[in-house]
Amino acid sequence: MTDTTTEATTWQERWQLWLSQSKAALATIPTAFELVRAADPKGL
Amino acid sequence: MLSVSTIINAAMPALQAYVAAQIIDHVVRALQQPDIWAGMQSTAPWLLVEFGLLTVSAILTQLRVFADHTLNTKLTHYIAMRIMQKAKELDVQYFEDAAFYDKLQNAKRQAEFRAIALVTGVFAIVQQTITLISFLVIVITFQPWVALILFGASIPAFVAQGRYSRLYFRLLTWRAPEFRQLRYLEELMTSDKSIKEVRLFGLGDPIVDRHEQTFTSYYDEDVVLAKKRSLLSVAWGMVSTFSFYVAYAWVVWLTIRGTLTIGGLTFYLAILRQSQQTFQGLFNSVNWIFENGLFMTQLFEFFNLKPIMPHTDNAQPMPEPLNEGIVFHDVSFRYPERTEWTLRHINLHIKAGETLALVGINGAGKTTLVKLLTRLYDPTEGSITIDGIDIRQMDMADLQRHIGVIFQDFVRYQMSLNDNIGFGNVVRINDRARIEHAADQGGAAEIARTLSQGYDTTLGRQFQQGRELSGGQWQKIALRRAFMRDGGILILDEPTSALDAQYEYEVFQRFRELTQGRTAILISHRFSTVRMADRIAVISGGELVEHGTHAELMANNGDYARLFEMQASGYR
Ligand SMILES: Nc1ncnc2c1ncn2[C@@H]1O[C@H](COP(=O)(O)OP(=O)(O)OP(=O)(O)O)[C@@H](O)[C@H]1O
Ligand SMILES: [Mg+2]
């Protein structure tokens, strides 16, 4: 799982966390498209 | 559908602003002309154009609503299917782990809504970018510095929103155990399985109180977060509104000075306002995508869970019929994430065709042994072979197809009697003759006769026209289900715990006939039952302490003899 339980303390940690979360969030976009396309091919 | 409407809607705002400006300028010009009709004539086409634009826009909006609705419905179904398919391939041990249910809870939470939001969010960004570019061209050619303050003032709000999206996500994922607790308490209060105890022990109020407490602790955090989010939004919102009015004042000044026409004034005001809105909208979309993406990571992580138990590529077929039988070779087992051994150094040979009874006190490890043989778990140490083949070398489904089983906590399928028996062998589920035969062999046929629609009667109270059965009747049916299986191995984990003495007697009178040609493992606390087995194995504290025939064990005068005497003395 994405580590959501640790509270980042330093700026570096926060930045790291932000970066990894943003990457993870961005990476879901194509998968979400695939999901929607699979569910309803004409919907897009 | 989404893509078409996106592109058309993107160009709309700039077009509408342009047409509105044309109308005003024509009106202003007409005011200065003597010929009223000529003025009207030159303005009217623009009115028509604007009407046309609005109509197209309205139709598109409704089409979008419709498309979103159907997409949503389909996606809900599709995601549920995907989750079930995933559940199908995951090992049993996942389902005995609380963390798994937290994951599942997080994955399911608004998943379809988030998936659609992600997709529409991407379209929104495309649309907003196109719109914004059209505005930007206009604003920059008008005054570059205006663009700078308008847009610059929106950035802090964006950063703040992004932070809160993350905090919100963290709150919700953190709180998954509590959310499940809430669902569980609701279930306790509203299900037929628990209502009797809840009512008679007076658990209603305590359960409601716990629900309240759990909810409040979450709610407080949620409110604090929402409050901060709103306050910040207001503060940063004012900054951007202020920047808009600076630009506004500038346009008014230009108009008064005569640099701009009245039409120009309205045009630029509309453009300025809308471009700032679009800019903020774009930022919001980016944040929205970010937030939804965070939530979707949970669903995709769930989809990415992998079965833990190894699968062999060149699986050996399950031998049929058995020759040698089932052998436990020094098997030890520890449940995942537990430190103590549940089974320790089990060496046991169950010969083909024999019936072995497993005896032992509660928690001794009898059911666990069965779970290992059926490959719901693999041994931590040692191995189990069937006719010399390690069961890990067999295809899991093939192995399980050959085993008929009734568990202590068998399932009461809220479906027809036919299905309740037929599920024991799904390929035969429509083979009514076979099902009736299975039912006939042991008392279930009498149950069928008392039901109004016979084998098609729905059992249980969960659904309309369901007929509830007694505990023992359910168990009889589960027993028939185990016998539906064609396989050579039969496992009965306390199959008669709820059965009346008469019926139990009948079952065991016919037990040999029923288990003819099968290797059977029988777990029971009733020694009258146990003594009918060919051999008996006594498990204590996870270890095999004794095994042999009834007579041998009695002669041994060990654990078995002691337990047997204890029970027998109660009947004298
Ligand atoms: N899924 C599980 N995860 C962790 N520990 C478990 C699990 N299931 C059972 N145990 C533990 O393993 C031990 C043996 O349990 P098991 O169900 O095999 O006992 P049993 O002999 O069938 O008892 P009973 O006669 O009550 O049915 C118990 O101490 C129990 O707490
Ligand atoms: Mg048990």
Side-chain angles (χ1 to χ4, degrees), chain B residues 63-115:
Chain B
L63 276 177
R64 261 300 278 279
V65 171
F66 171 71
D68 280 357
H69 175 81
T70 50
L71 185 58
N72 202 356
T73 317
K74 281 187 182 164
L75 198 59
T76 309
H77 172 67
Y78 182 72
I79 289 179
M81 293 278 291
R82 284 283 298 269
I83 289 180
M84 287 198 291
Q85 265 154 9
K86 192 74 215 179
K88 198 179 78 181
E89 74 183 50
L90 290 178
D91 308 309
V92 169
Q93 66 184 80
Y94 276 110
F95 295 85
E96 298 190 345
D97 176 15
F100 170 79
Y101 291 97
D102 291 340
K103 246 175 245 185
L104 186 58
Q105 149 92 16
N106 281 331
K108 281 205 286 203
R109 167 176 286 274
Q110 308 170 328
E112 57 282 343
F113 156 70
R114 300 276 176 193

Side-chain angles (χ1 to χ4, degrees), chain B residues 361-368 370 407-409 493-494 523 525:
Chain B
I361 59 166
N362 293 136
K366 305 179 295 296
T367 303
T368 306
V370 165
F407 277 107
Q408 244 170 332
D409 50 351
D493 191 348
E494 292 194 38
I523 300 176
H525 294 295

Side-chain angles (χ1 to χ4, degrees), chain B residues 155-184:
Chain B
I155 292 175
F158 167 66
V159 175
Q161 289 291 346
R163 187 176 140 70
Y164 280 100
S165 293
R166 255 181 329 117
L167 290 178
Y168 180 56
F169 168 71
R170 209 182 60 189
L171 177 67
L172 286 190
T173 36
W174 253 359
R175 290 298 190 165
E178 275 98 334
F179 284 127
R180 284 205 301 115
Q181 187 89 37
L182 291 179
R183 293 296 92 76
Y184 175 67

Side-chain angles (χ1 to χ4, degrees), chain B residues 416-441:
Chain B
S416 69
L417 174 58
N418 179 81
D419 291 351
N420 265 280
I421 297 175
F423 280 175
N425 195 348
V426 279
V427 290
R428 301 290 192 88
I429 194 141
N430 293 320
D431 184 349
R432 180 58 62 82
R434 172 73 198 270
I435 287 173
E436 283 183 18
H437 177 68
D440 257 339
Q441 281 187 316

Side-chain angles (χ1 to χ4, degrees), chain A residues 1-2 4-7 14 17-18 21-22 24-25 28-29 31-33 35-36 38-40 42-44, chain B residues 1-3 71 74-75 78 82 103 118-119 122-123 166 169-170 173-174 289-290 293-294 297-298 300-301:
Chain A
M1 300 237 83
T2 320
T4 48
T5 50
T6 48
E7 171 70 274
R14 282 188 195 204
L17 186 68
W18 184 86
Q21 283 189 331
S22 304
T28 61
I29 294 178
T31 331
F33 266 85
L35 204 65
V36 169
D40 186 5
K42 282 178 293 188
L44 286 183
Chain B
M1 182 62 230
L2 278 174
S3 25
L71 185 58
K74 281 187 182 164
L75 198 59
Y78 182 72
R82 284 283 298 269
K103 246 175 245 185
L118 213 51
V119 170
V122 171
F123 279 114
R166 255 181 329 117
F169 168 71
R170 209 182 60 189
T173 36
W174 253 359
I289 284 198
F290 175 61
L294 277 182
T297 55
Q298 308 266 314
F300 296 137
E301 269 167 36

Side-chain angles (χ1 to χ4, degrees), chain B residues 477-545:
Chain B
I477 289 168
L479 196 53
R480 301 334 305 163
R481 181 158 67 238
F483 281 108
M484 267 298 280
R485 211 91 174 142
D486 291 321
I489 299 175
L490 197 60
I491 297 172
L492 310 172
D493 191 348
E494 292 194 38
T496 55
S497 58
L499 301 184
D500 59 65
Q502 162 93 32
Y503 185 74
E504 190 186 6
Y505 179 77
E506 283 166 21
V507 168
F508 288 104
Q509 280 304 305
R510 303 181 59 200
F511 193 74
R512 290 202 185 278
E513 178 192 331
L514 292 174
T515 58
Q516 191 64 53
R518 298 190 200 191
T519 311
I521 297 178
L522 167 68
I523 300 176
S524 179
H525 294 295
R526 295 201 199 178
F527 286 84
S528 54
T529 305
V530 168
R531 65 185 298 176
M532 313 222 184
D534 300 314
R535 270 186 329 133
I536 298 155
V538 184
I539 296 186
S540 170
E543 292 180 42
L544 183 66
V545 289

